[in-house]
Amino acid sequence: MENNFISALKLMLRNIGTFFRSQQWKEILIFLFFLLLSFGFWFLQSLQQDYERKIELPVRYKNIPSEWILSENNPEKIDVLLKDKGMTLMYYSWKVNFLPVEISVSNLSRSAGHTLQVTTRTLETMVSKQLISSTSILSIEPREIHIEYDSLSHRTVPVVANVIIQTKPGFRVSDSIKISHPEIRIYGSVKTLDTLKYVRTKRITVDNVSATRELTVALDLPAGVKTDHESVKLTIPVEEYTEKRLQLPVLCSDIPSGQVLRIFPSTVEVICGIPLSLFKELTVNDLEIRIPFRDFQKYRLTGKMPVKLTGKPSWVASAVVIPDEVEFIIEQLTEE
């Protein structure tokens, strides 16, 4: 049975080969060639005739004043009817990606009320910039664009940096983050603006920082709120930190007359974490441990007073007092 199948297959292939070598097949090929050639001449001839084609172009509004908000009813597209040779219109279909029609709102003159007008002539000029010179614009729908807008209320609010900073070991943020525009004017409805006390930046994380960094960060604006500045520049001061040890007296300046306060020890060591650049700047005069006498009276039964730093420059990042408590005695002076 397998041999019969193979024989039949060979016979079929032989008959197909005989057909393709026959005069009949050659005549069919000649006919198809001239048919295709005729179609090509007809197609090329038809492309030389004038045709019409409608295209759709998106509309983009730009340069909108900060104190304005555009209505949602403004046209988002225009339909343009073109006329040209078929070859040109085919080129538009195959090769050209039409750009949006960009309307600069700030350059338009007002019509009635809160309405701006874009004339047909202006639209034709914008569209023509993307067309071949032979192409005619038959119509544009809508013929004119009337841009509706509303004026916004405004107020000035501070900008808050929303930044997470991870420094390398031995480095710290040495001062507050500086913001290029610490206050900005925002625009929106009265109801929306009444709820805003400040505007945050977008949240960002900065890792492995070992030097001062400058970043441009976008503002996190609520929906319906606009501003003149969509981003701000942040300057993050980062310095290498070191420790400085100083001996500091424990002070109490409001001791009542007739009483004597004795503190043991009378001086303590303070270990301060400070920027390396300010190591020589820090002296004993910049630090203070001053405890009110009434606090000593509270701990009179134990005779031990917790000690902590009560005065230091803002750039001192940390301060450890050793020992963290002192012993004391309150004595009553006797009258002679």
Side-chain angles (χ1 to χ4, degrees):
M1 183 173 180
E2 183 178 353
N3 292 333
N4 292 337
F5 174 76
I6 295 175
S7 300
L9 181 61
K10 289 181 178 179
L11 179 61
M12 181 180 66
L13 294 175
R14 190 180 302 114
N15 291 336
I16 292 174
T18 301
F19 172 75
F20 283 120
R21 291 191 297 271
S22 66
Q23 183 65 28
Q24 182 181 6
W25 173 245
K26 293 179 181 179
E27 293 175 354
I28 292 174
L29 285 179
I30 294 173
F31 172 76
L32 292 175
F33 171 76
F34 282 104
L35 179 62
L36 182 62
L37 186 63
S38 299
F39 175 78
F41 281 121
W42 171 83
F43 182 69
L44 290 175
Q45 184 65 29
S46 65
L47 290 179
Q48 299 306 311
Q49 299 179 16
D50 287 338
Y51 292 92
E52 297 178 1
R53 182 196 167 197
K54 181 178 288 187
I55 63 172
E56 182 180 283
L57 298 178
V59 176
R60 180 181 298 164
Y61 303 98
K62 65 177 185 177
N63 297 331
I64 304 171
S66 300
E67 66 273 16
W68 291 0
I69 185 170
L70 299 187
S71 168
E72 296 180 355
N73 299 324
N74 293 317
E76 297 180 354
K77 64 180 181 66
I78 58 174
D79 294 321
V80 184
L81 184 61
L82 305 177
K83 183 178 180 180
D84 206 334
K85 303 296 183 183
M87 181 67 74
T88 303
L89 297 182
M90 183 176 295
Y91 167 76
Y92 290 147
S93 299
W94 288 354
K95 297 292 185 181
V96 175
N97 292 322
F98 287 102
L99 300 174
V101 174
E102 295 189 338
I103 299 176
S104 180
V105 175
S106 61
N107 295 333
L108 299 177
S109 57
R110 300 188 190 184
S111 53
H114 286 187
T115 305
L116 306 171
Q117 183 179 14
V118 184
T119 64
T120 303
R121 182 181 295 274
T122 302
L123 291 175
E124 288 179 350
T125 301
M126 293 178 178
V127 175
S128 296
K129 294 178 180 179
Q130 302 189 56
L131 303 177
I132 297 174
S133 58
S134 61
T135 305
S136 301
I137 299 176
L138 299 182
S139 66
I140 294 180
E141 184 62 35
R143 290 181 54 80
E144 296 180 344
I145 293 181
H146 297 278
I147 304 173
E148 298 179 357
Y149 69 93
D150 290 321
S151 297
L152 299 175
S153 299
H154 63 83
R155 63 180 297 188
T156 300
V157 296
V159 176
V160 177
N162 189 9
V163 185
I164 299 175
I165 306 167
Q166 301 290 340
T167 59
K168 288 185 177 180
F171 293 83
R172 293 186 184 181
V173 178
S174 59
D175 204 346
S176 59
I177 297 175
K178 295 179 176 58
I179 304 175
S180 59
H181 296 91
E183 291 186 334
I184 58 170
R185 176 173 289 189
I186 56 175
Y187 304 88
S189 66
V190 175
K191 182 178 180 181
T192 301
L193 297 187
D194 284 345
T195 63
L196 289 178
K197 305 303 180 185
Y198 54 84
V199 171
R200 289 181 179 270
T201 64
K202 294 285 187 181
R203 183 172 181 176
I204 60 170
T205 300
V206 188
D207 295 321
N208 295 322
V209 185
S210 59
T212 297
R213 292 280 297 273
E214 288 188 353
L215 305 170
T216 299
V217 186
L219 296 176
D220 191 8
L221 296 172
V225 174
K226 300 170 59 178
T227 180
D228 296 324
H229 306 281
E230 295 184 356
S231 62
V232 294
K233 180 185 290 185
L234 304 181
T235 302
I236 306 172
V238 174
E239 288 191 52
E240 184 176 359
Y241 267 62
T242 187
E243 291 184 351
K244 186 167 186 177
R245 297 170 178 259
L246 296 169
Q247 293 292 324
L248 203 63
V250 179
L251 303 177
C252 179
S253 58
D254 57 348
I255 303 173
S257 60
Q259 292 185 326
V260 176
L261 176 65
R262 304 188 188 280
I263 302 174
F264 310 97
S266 59
T267 61
V268 294
E269 183 179 47
V270 181
I271 306 174
C272 297
I274 58 174
L276 184 60
S277 62
L278 297 175
F279 184 85
K280 295 182 179 180
E281 299 294 325
L282 185 65
T283 66
V284 174
N285 296 329
D286 299 314
L287 306 174
E288 184 178 65
I289 299 177
R290 187 175 296 275
I291 306 173
F293 185 75
R294 63 177 178 273
D295 290 351
F296 283 98
Q297 290 179 317
K298 293 178 183 178
Y299 289 87
R300 192 165 187 171
L301 292 178
T302 62
K304 294 182 178 180
M305 166 63 65
V307 179
K308 62 180 180 179
L309 206 60
T310 56
K312 67 180 180 65
S314 59
W315 41 267
V316 174
S318 62
V320 177
V321 179
I322 301 176
D324 60 357
E325 65 176 13
V326 293
E327 296 181 352
F328 68 94
I329 299 173
I330 298 176
E331 297 179 349
Q332 188 74 36
L333 293 177
T334 59
E335 295 182 2
E336 295 181 1

